[in-house]
Coordinates of all heavy atoms in Angstrom, one line a residue:
M40 N 15.5 -65.3 54.5 CA 15.9 -63.8 54.4 C 17.1 -63.7 53.6 O 18.1 -64.4 53.8 CB 16.1 -63.3 55.8 CG 16.5 -61.9 55.8 SD 16.5 -61.1 57.4 CE 17.9 -61.9 58.2
E41 N 17.1 -62.8 52.6 CA 18.2 -62.6 51.8 C 19.4 -61.8 52.5 O 19.0 -60.7 53.2 CB 17.8 -61.8 50.5 CG 18.8 -61.4 49.6 CD 18.3 -60.5 48.4 OE1 17.2 -60.7 48.0 OE2 19.0 -59.5 48.1
T42 N 20.6 -62.2 52.4 CA 21.6 -61.4 53.0 C 22.3 -60.5 51.9 O 22.7 -61.0 50.9 CB 22.7 -62.4 53.6 OG1 22.0 -63.2 54.6 CG2 23.8 -61.7 54.3
R43 N 22.4 -59.3 52.2 CA 23.1 -58.3 51.4 C 24.2 -57.8 52.0 O 24.1 -57.2 53.2 CB 22.1 -57.1 51.0 CG 20.9 -57.7 50.2 CD 19.8 -56.7 50.3 NE 19.1 -56.9 51.5 CZ 18.1 -56.2 52.0 NH1 17.6 -55.3 51.2 NH2 17.6 -56.5 53.1
R44 N 25.4 -57.8 51.4 CA 26.6 -57.3 52.0 C 27.3 -56.4 51.0 O 27.4 -56.6 49.8 CB 27.6 -58.4 52.3 CG 27.0 -59.4 53.3 CD 27.2 -58.9 54.7 NE 26.7 -59.9 55.6 CZ 26.0 -59.7 56.6 NH1 25.7 -58.4 56.9 NH2 25.5 -60.6 57.5
V45 N 27.7 -55.2 51.6 CA 28.5 -54.3 50.8 C 29.8 -54.1 51.5 O 29.9 -53.8 52.8 CB 27.8 -52.9 50.7 CG1 28.7 -51.9 50.0 CG2 26.5 -53.1 50.0
K46 N 30.9 -54.2 50.9 CA 32.2 -54.1 51.5 C 32.4 -52.6 52.0 O 32.3 -51.7 51.1 CB 33.4 -54.4 50.6 CG 34.7 -54.4 51.2 CD 35.7 -54.9 50.2 CE 37.1 -54.8 50.8 NZ 38.2 -55.2 49.9
P47 N 32.6 -52.4 53.2 CA 32.8 -51.1 53.8 C 34.0 -50.4 53.1 O 35.0 -51.0 52.9 CB 33.0 -51.2 55.3 CG 32.5 -52.6 55.6 CD 32.7 -53.4 54.3
G48 N 34.0 -49.1 52.9 CA 35.1 -48.3 52.4 C 35.7 -47.5 53.5 O 35.6 -47.8 54.6
K49 N 36.1 -46.3 53.1 CA 36.8 -45.4 54.0 C 35.7 -44.8 54.8 O 34.5 -44.6 54.4 CB 37.6 -44.3 53.2 CG 38.8 -44.8 52.5 CD 39.4 -43.7 51.8 CE 40.7 -44.2 51.0 NZ 41.4 -43.1 50.4
K50 N 36.1 -44.4 56.0 CA 35.2 -43.8 57.0 C 34.5 -42.6 56.4 O 35.1 -41.7 55.8 CB 35.9 -43.4 58.2 CG 35.1 -43.5 59.5 CD 36.0 -43.2 60.7 CE 35.3 -43.5 61.9 NZ 35.3 -44.7 62.6
G51 N 33.1 -42.5 56.4 CA 32.4 -41.5 55.9 C 32.1 -41.6 54.4 O 31.5 -40.7 53.9
S52 N 32.5 -42.7 53.8 CA 32.3 -42.8 52.3 C 30.9 -43.2 52.0 O 30.1 -43.7 52.9 CB 33.2 -43.8 51.8 OG 32.8 -45.2 52.2
T53 N 30.5 -43.1 50.8 CA 29.2 -43.5 50.4 C 29.0 -45.0 50.6 O 27.9 -45.5 50.9 CB 29.0 -43.0 48.9 OG1 29.2 -41.7 48.8 CG2 27.6 -43.5 48.4
V54 N 30.0 -45.8 50.3 CA 29.9 -47.3 50.4 C 29.7 -47.6 51.9 O 28.8 -48.4 52.1 CB 31.3 -47.9 49.9 CG1 31.3 -49.4 50.2 CG2 31.5 -47.6 48.3
E55 N 30.4 -46.9 52.8 CA 30.1 -47.2 54.2 C 28.7 -46.8 54.6 O 28.0 -47.5 55.4 CB 31.1 -46.5 55.1 CG 31.0 -46.9 56.5 CD 32.1 -46.1 57.4 OE1 31.8 -45.0 57.8 OE2 33.1 -46.8 57.6
A56 N 28.2 -45.8 54.1 CA 26.8 -45.3 54.4 C 25.8 -46.3 53.8 O 24.8 -46.6 54.5 CB 26.6 -43.9 53.7
Q57 N 26.1 -46.8 52.6 CA 25.2 -47.8 52.0 C 25.3 -49.1 52.8 O 24.2 -49.7 53.1 CB 25.6 -48.1 50.6 CG 25.3 -46.9 49.6 CD 25.9 -47.2 48.2 OE1 26.9 -48.0 48.1 NE2 25.3 -46.6 47.2
H58 N 26.4 -49.5 53.2 CA 26.6 -50.7 54.1 C 25.7 -50.5 55.4 O 25.1 -51.4 55.7 CB 28.1 -50.9 54.4 CG 28.3 -52.0 55.3 ND1 28.1 -53.4 55.0 CD2 28.6 -52.1 56.6 CE1 28.4 -54.2 56.0 NE2 28.8 -53.4 57.1
S59 N 25.9 -49.4 56.0 CA 25.2 -49.1 57.3 C 23.7 -49.2 57.1 O 23.0 -49.7 57.9 CB 25.6 -47.8 57.8 OG 27.0 -47.8 58.3
A60 N 23.3 -48.6 56.0 CA 21.8 -48.5 55.6 C 21.3 -49.9 55.4 O 20.2 -50.3 55.9 CB 21.5 -47.6 54.4
L61 N 22.1 -50.8 54.7 CA 21.7 -52.2 54.5 C 21.7 -53.0 55.8 O 20.7 -53.8 56.0 CB 22.6 -52.9 53.5 CG 22.5 -52.4 52.0 CD1 23.6 -53.0 51.1 CD2 21.2 -52.7 51.5
C62 N 22.6 -52.7 56.7 CA 22.6 -53.4 58.0 C 21.3 -53.1 58.7 O 20.7 -53.9 59.3 CB 23.8 -53.1 58.8 SG 25.3 -53.8 58.2
V63 N 20.9 -51.8 58.8 CA 19.8 -51.4 59.4 C 18.6 -52.0 58.9 O 17.7 -52.5 59.5 CB 19.7 -49.8 59.5 CG1 18.3 -49.4 60.1 CG2 20.8 -49.3 60.3
E64 N 18.5 -52.0 57.5 CA 17.3 -52.6 56.8 C 17.2 -54.1 57.1 O 16.1 -54.6 57.4 CB 17.5 -52.3 55.3 CG 16.3 -52.8 54.4 CD 16.5 -52.5 53.0 OE1 17.1 -51.5 52.7 OE2 16.0 -53.3 52.2
E65 N 18.4 -54.8 57.1 CA 18.3 -56.2 57.5 C 17.8 -56.4 58.8 O 17.0 -57.4 59.0 CB 19.7 -56.8 57.3 CG 20.1 -57.1 55.9 CD 21.5 -57.8 55.9 OE1 22.3 -57.7 56.8 OE2 21.8 -58.3 54.8
A66 N 18.3 -55.6 59.8 CA 17.8 -55.8 61.1 C 16.2 -55.5 61.2 O 15.5 -56.2 62.0 CB 18.6 -54.9 62.0
E67 N 15.8 -54.4 60.6 CA 14.4 -54.2 60.6 C 13.6 -55.3 60.1 O 12.5 -55.7 60.6 CB 14.1 -52.8 59.8 CG 14.6 -51.7 60.5 CD 14.5 -50.3 59.7 OE1 14.4 -50.4 58.4 OE2 14.5 -49.2 60.3
D68 N 14.0 -55.9 58.9 CA 13.4 -57.0 58.4 C 13.4 -58.2 59.3 O 12.4 -58.9 59.5 CB 14.1 -57.4 57.0 CG 13.8 -56.5 55.9 OD1 13.0 -55.5 56.0 OD2 14.5 -56.5 54.9
A69 N 14.5 -58.4 60.0 CA 14.6 -59.5 60.9 C 13.6 -59.3 62.0 O 12.9 -60.3 62.5 CB 15.9 -59.7 61.5
V70 N 13.5 -58.2 62.6 CA 12.5 -57.9 63.6 C 11.1 -58.1 63.1 O 10.2 -58.7 63.8 CB 12.6 -56.4 64.1 CG1 11.4 -55.9 65.0 CG2 13.9 -56.3 64.9
K71 N 10.7 -57.7 61.9 CA 9.4 -58.0 61.3 C 9.1 -59.4 61.2 O 8.0 -59.9 61.5 CB 9.2 -57.2 60.0 CG 9.1 -55.8 60.0 CD 9.1 -55.2 58.6 CE 9.2 -53.6 58.7 NZ 9.4 -53.1 57.3
E72 N 10.1 -60.2 60.7 CA 9.9 -61.6 60.6 C 9.8 -62.3 61.9 O 8.9 -63.2 62.0 CB 11.1 -62.2 59.8 CG 11.2 -61.8 58.4 CD 12.5 -62.4 57.7 OE1 12.9 -63.6 58.1 OE2 13.0 -61.8 56.8
L73 N 10.5 -62.0 62.9 CA 10.5 -62.6 64.1 C 9.1 -62.2 64.9 O 8.5 -63.0 65.4 CB 11.6 -62.0 65.1 CG 11.6 -62.6 66.5 CD1 11.6 -64.2 66.5 CD2 12.8 -62.1 67.3
R74 N 8.7 -61.0 64.7 CA 7.4 -60.5 65.3 C 6.3 -61.4 64.6 O 5.3 -61.8 65.3 CB 7.2 -59.0 65.1 CG 5.9 -58.5 65.7 CD 5.8 -57.0 65.6 NE 6.6 -56.4 66.6 CZ 7.5 -55.5 66.4 NH1 7.8 -55.1 65.1 NH2 8.3 -55.0 67.3
A75 N 6.3 -61.5 63.4 CA 5.3 -62.3 62.7 C 5.2 -63.8 63.1 O 4.2 -64.3 63.3 CB 5.4 -62.1 61.1
A76 N 6.5 -64.3 63.2 CA 6.5 -65.7 63.6 C 6.0 -65.9 65.0 O 5.3 -66.9 65.4 CB 8.0 -66.2 63.5
L77 N 6.4 -65.0 65.9 CA 5.9 -65.1 67.3 C 4.4 -64.9 67.4 O 3.7 -65.6 68.2 CB 6.6 -64.0 68.2 CG 8.1 -64.2 68.4 CD1 8.8 -63.0 69.1 CD2 8.3 -65.4 69.4
R78 N 3.9 -64.0 66.6 CA 2.4 -63.7 66.6 C 1.7 -65.0 66.2 O 0.7 -65.3 66.7 CB 2.1 -62.6 65.6 CG 0.6 -62.2 65.8 CD 0.3 -60.9 65.1 NE 0.9 -59.8 65.9 CZ 1.7 -58.8 65.3 NH1 1.9 -58.8 64.0 NH2 2.2 -57.9 66.0
K79 N 2.2 -65.7 65.2 CA 1.6 -66.9 64.7 C 1.6 -68.0 65.8 O 0.6 -68.8 66.0 CB 2.4 -67.6 63.6 CG 1.9 -67.1 62.2 CD 2.7 -67.8 61.1 CE 1.8 -68.3 60.1 NZ 2.5 -68.9 58.9
A80 N 2.6 -67.9 66.7 CA 2.6 -68.9 67.9 C 1.9 -68.3 69.1 O 1.9 -68.9 70.1 CB 4.1 -69.0 68.3
G81 N 1.2 -67.1 68.9 CA 0.4 -66.6 70.0 C 1.3 -65.9 71.0 O 0.9 -65.7 72.1
I82 N 2.6 -65.4 70.6 CA 3.4 -64.7 71.5 C 3.7 -63.3 71.1 O 3.9 -63.1 69.9 CB 4.7 -65.6 71.7 CG1 4.5 -66.9 72.2 CG2 5.8 -64.9 72.5 CD1 5.6 -67.8 72.1
I83 N 3.6 -62.4 72.1 CA 3.9 -61.1 71.8 C 5.0 -60.6 72.7 O 4.8 -60.7 74.0 CB 2.7 -60.2 71.9 CG1 1.6 -60.5 70.9 CG2 3.0 -58.7 71.8 CD1 0.3 -59.8 71.0
L84 N 6.1 -60.0 72.2 CA 7.1 -59.5 73.0 C 7.0 -58.0 72.8 O 7.4 -57.4 71.7 CB 8.5 -60.0 72.6 CG 8.8 -61.4 72.7 CD1 10.2 -61.8 72.1 CD2 8.6 -61.8 74.1
P85 N 6.4 -57.3 73.8 CA 6.1 -55.9 73.6 C 7.3 -54.9 73.3 O 7.2 -53.9 72.7 CB 5.4 -55.5 74.9 CG 5.4 -56.6 75.8 CD 6.0 -57.8 75.1
S86 N 8.4 -55.4 73.8 CA 9.6 -54.5 73.7 C 10.5 -54.9 72.5 O 11.6 -54.3 72.3 CB 10.6 -54.5 75.0 OG 9.7 -54.2 76.0
L87 N 10.0 -55.8 71.6 CA 10.8 -56.2 70.5 C 11.1 -55.1 69.5 O 10.2 -54.4 69.2 CB 10.0 -57.4 69.8 CG 10.7 -58.0 68.6 CD1 12.0 -58.6 68.8 CD2 9.7 -59.0 67.9
G88 N 12.3 -54.9 69.2 CA 12.7 -53.9 68.2 C 14.2 -53.7 68.1 O 14.9 -54.7 68.6
L89 N 14.7 -52.7 67.6 CA 16.1 -52.4 67.3 C 16.6 -51.7 68.6 O 16.0 -50.8 69.1 CB 16.4 -51.7 66.1 CG 16.0 -52.4 64.8 CD1 16.4 -51.5 63.6 CD2 16.6 -53.7 64.7
D90 N 17.8 -52.1 69.0 CA 18.4 -51.5 70.2 C 18.9 -50.1 69.8 O 19.7 -50.0 68.9 CB 19.6 -52.4 70.6 CG 20.4 -51.7 71.6 OD1 19.9 -51.2 72.7 OD2 21.7 -51.6 71.4
P91 N 18.4 -49.1 70.4 CA 18.8 -47.7 70.0 C 20.2 -47.3 70.2 O 20.7 -46.6 69.4 CB 17.8 -46.8 70.8 CG 17.3 -47.6 71.9 CD 17.4 -49.1 71.5
V92 N 20.9 -47.9 71.2 CA 22.3 -47.6 71.4 C 23.1 -48.2 70.2 O 24.1 -47.5 69.7 CB 22.7 -48.3 72.7 CG1 24.3 -48.0 72.9 CG2 22.1 -47.6 73.9
S93 N 22.8 -49.3 69.7 CA 23.6 -49.8 68.6 C 23.3 -49.1 67.3 O 24.1 -49.1 66.4 CB 23.2 -51.4 68.4 OG 22.0 -51.6 68.0
L94 N 22.2 -48.4 67.3 CA 21.9 -47.5 66.1 C 22.6 -46.2 66.1 O 22.6 -45.5 65.2 CB 20.4 -47.4 66.0 CG 19.6 -48.6 65.5 CD1 18.1 -48.3 65.7 CD2 19.9 -49.1 64.2
A95 N 22.9 -45.8 67.3 CA 23.5 -44.4 67.5 C 25.0 -44.3 67.1 O 25.5 -43.2 67.1 CB 23.4 -44.1 69.0
R96 N 25.6 -45.5 66.8 CA 27.0 -45.4 66.4 C 27.2 -44.7 65.0 O 26.2 -44.7 64.3 CB 27.6 -46.9 66.3 CG 27.6 -47.6 67.5 CD 28.0 -49.0 67.4 NE 29.1 -49.1 66.4 CZ 29.5 -50.3 66.0 NH1 29.0 -51.4 66.4 NH2 30.6 -50.3 65.2
E97 N 28.4 -44.2 64.7 CA 28.7 -43.6 63.4 C 28.3 -44.5 62.3 O 27.7 -44.1 61.3 CB 30.0 -43.1 63.4 CG 30.4 -42.2 62.2 CD 31.7 -41.7 62.3 OE1 32.3 -41.3 63.3 OE2 32.4 -41.7 61.2
A98 N 28.7 -45.7 62.5 CA 28.4 -46.8 61.4 C 27.6 -47.9 62.2 O 28.1 -48.8 62.8 CB 29.7 -47.4 60.9
P99 N 26.2 -47.7 62.1 CA 25.3 -48.6 62.9 C 25.5 -50.0 62.6 O 25.7 -50.4 61.5 CB 23.9 -48.2 62.5 CG 24.1 -46.8 61.9 CD 25.5 -46.7 61.3
C100 N 25.6 -50.9 63.6 CA 25.6 -52.3 63.5 C 24.5 -52.8 64.5 O 24.7 -53.1 65.6 CB 27.0 -52.8 63.9 SG 27.0 -54.6 63.8
P101 N 23.3 -52.7 64.1 CA 22.1 -52.9 64.9 C 22.1 -54.2 65.6 O 22.3 -55.3 65.0 CB 20.9 -52.7 64.0 CG 21.4 -52.5 62.7 CD 22.8 -52.6 62.6
L102 N 21.5 -54.2 66.9 CA 21.2 -55.5 67.6 C 19.7 -55.4 67.8 O 19.1 -54.4 67.8 CB 21.9 -55.4 68.9 CG 23.4 -55.3 69.0 CD1 23.9 -55.1 70.4 CD2 24.0 -56.6 68.4
V103 N 19.2 -56.7 67.8 CA 17.8 -56.9 68.0 C 17.5 -56.9 69.5 O 18.1 -57.7 70.2 CB 17.2 -58.1 67.3 CG1 15.8 -58.4 67.7 CG2 17.4 -58.0 65.8
E104 N 16.7 -56.1 70.0 CA 16.3 -56.0 71.4 C 15.1 -56.9 71.7 O 14.0 -56.6 71.2 CB 16.1 -54.6 71.9 CG 15.7 -54.4 73.3 CD 16.7 -54.7 74.3 OE1 17.8 -54.2 74.2 OE2 16.5 -55.5 75.2
L105 N 15.2 -58.0 72.4 CA 14.1 -58.8 72.6 C 13.2 -58.2 73.7 O 12.0 -58.5 73.8 CB 14.5 -60.2 72.9 CG 15.2 -60.9 71.8 CD1 15.7 -62.2 72.2 CD2 14.4 -61.0 70.5
G106 N 13.8 -57.6 74.7 CA 13.1 -56.9 75.8 C 12.6 -57.9 76.9 O 13.0 -58.9 76.9
R107 N 11.9 -57.2 77.7 CA 11.2 -58.0 78.8 C 9.9 -58.5 78.6 O 9.2 -58.0 77.7 CB 11.2 -57.1 80.0 CG 12.6 -56.7 80.5 CD 12.4 -55.7 81.7 NE 12.6 -54.4 81.1 CZ 12.7 -53.3 81.8 NH1 12.5 -53.3 83.1 NH2 12.8 -52.2 81.2
C108 N 9.5 -59.5 79.1 CA 8.1 -60.2 79.0 C 7.7 -60.8 80.3 O 8.5 -61.0 81.3 CB 8.1 -61.1 77.9 SG 9.1 -62.6 78.2
S109 N 6.4 -61.1 80.5 CA 5.9 -61.7 81.6 C 6.4 -63.1 81.8 O 6.8 -63.8 80.7 CB 4.3 -61.7 81.5 OG 4.0 -62.6 80.6
V110 N 6.2 -63.7 82.9 CA 6.6 -65.1 83.2 C 5.8 -66.0 82.2 O 6.3 -66.9 81.6 CB 6.5 -65.5 84.7 CG1 6.6 -67.0 84.8 CG2 7.3 -64.6 85.6
E111 N 4.5 -65.7 82.1 CA 3.7 -66.5 81.2 C 4.2 -66.5 79.8 O 4.2 -67.5 79.2 CB 2.2 -66.0 81.3 CG 1.3 -66.7 80.4 CD -0.1 -66.1 80.3 OE1 -0.4 -65.2 81.1 OE2 -0.9 -66.5 79.5
T112 N 4.6 -65.3 79.3 CA 5.0 -65.2 77.9 C 6.4 -66.0 77.8 O 6.5 -66.7 76.8 CB 5.3 -63.8 77.5 OG1 4.0 -63.1 77.6 CG2 5.8 -63.7 76.1
A113 N 7.2 -65.9 78.8 CA 8.5 -66.6 78.7 C 8.3 -68.2 78.7 O 8.9 -68.9 78.0 CB 9.4 -66.3 80.0
Q114 N 7.3 -68.6 79.5 CA 7.0 -70.0 79.5 C 6.4 -70.5 78.1 O 6.8 -71.6 77.6 CB 5.9 -70.4 80.6 CG 6.6 -70.2 82.0 CD 5.5 -70.2 83.1 OE1 4.4 -69.9 82.9 NE2 6.0 -70.7 84.3
R115 N 5.5 -69.7 77.5 CA 5.0 -70.0 76.3 C 6.1 -70.0 75.2 O 6.1 -70.9 74.2 CB 3.9 -69.0 75.8 CG 2.6 -69.3 76.7 CD 1.3 -68.6 76.0 NE 1.5 -67.6 75.2 CZ 1.2 -66.2 75.5 NH1 0.7 -65.9 76.7 NH2 1.4 -65.3 74.6
L116 N 7.0 -69.1 75.3 CA 8.1 -69.0 74.3 C 9.0 -70.2 74.4 O 9.4 -70.9 73.5 CB 8.9 -67.8 74.5 CG 10.1 -67.5 73.7 CD1 9.8 -67.4 72.2 CD2 10.8 -66.2 74.0
A117 N 9.3 -70.7 75.7 CA 10.1 -71.9 75.9 C 9.4 -73.1 75.3 O 10.0 -74.0 74.7 CB 10.4 -72.1 77.4
A118 N 8.1 -73.1 75.5 CA 7.3 -74.3 75.0 C 7.4 -74.4 73.5 O 7.6 -75.5 72.9 CB 5.9 -74.2 75.6
V119 N 7.3 -73.3 72.8 CA 7.4 -73.2 71.4 C 8.7 -73.6 70.9 O 8.9 -74.3 69.9 CB 7.0 -71.8 70.9 CG1 7.4 -71.6 69.4 CG2 5.6 -71.5 71.2
L120 N 9.8 -73.3 71.6 CA 11.2 -73.6 71.2 C 11.5 -75.0 71.5 O 12.5 -75.5 70.9 CB 12.1 -72.7 71.8 CG 12.0 -71.2 71.4 CD1 12.9 -70.3 72.3 CD2 12.4 -71.0 70.0
R121 N 10.8 -75.7 72.3 CA 11.2 -77.1 72.6 C 10.9 -78.0 71.5 O 10.1 -78.0 70.7 CB 10.4 -77.6 73.9 CG 11.0 -77.1 75.1 CD 10.4 -77.8 76.3 NE 10.6 -76.9 77.4 CZ 9.7 -76.3 78.1 NH1 8.4 -76.5 77.8 NH2 9.9 -75.5 79.1

């Protein structure tokens, strides 16, 4: 995954808005990549997505929400990671 960074400027500036947009885009891409990799392994995390609270900030710094899953899914995920 390509990392794109823009140096943040003054609060409310165009540069800061671009930086925030890039952060959200990177996070969305990471979720898509993780979802695809998990699907290949036969694992589905139904709640996988971006954390809405981290997106609600004035300058979003998104977190990936892995969410909850069944015991069976957790066991399969652990087996794949070993």
Side-chain angles (χ1 to χ4, degrees):
M40 177 169 72
E41 177 185 322
T42 302
R43 292 162 281 178
R44 299 279 182 223
V45 175
K46 186 176 179 184
K49 293 181 180 177
K50 213 171 187 97
S52 72
T53 302
V54 172
E55 186 175 87
Q57 289 173 337
H58 174 74
S59 294
L61 288 174
C62 286
V63 172
E64 186 179 324
E65 282 182 344
E67 289 171 339
D68 289 346
V70 168
K71 287 177 189 174
E72 289 178 34
L73 180 56
R74 183 174 284 123
L77 288 168
R78 186 170 290 131
K79 269 183 137 177
I82 298 170
I83 296 174
L84 295 178
S86 302
L87 179 62
L89 297 183
D90 171 53
V92 174
S93 65
L94 290 171
R96 295 175 43 189
E97 187 174 321
C100 183
L102 298 173
V103 174
E104 177 69 51
L105 299 176
R107 293 176 263 188
C108 64
S109 68
V110 172
E111 179 187 349
T112 299
Q114 291 168 333
R115 288 197 337 251
L116 182 57
V119 168
L120 292 173
R121 281 191 205 111

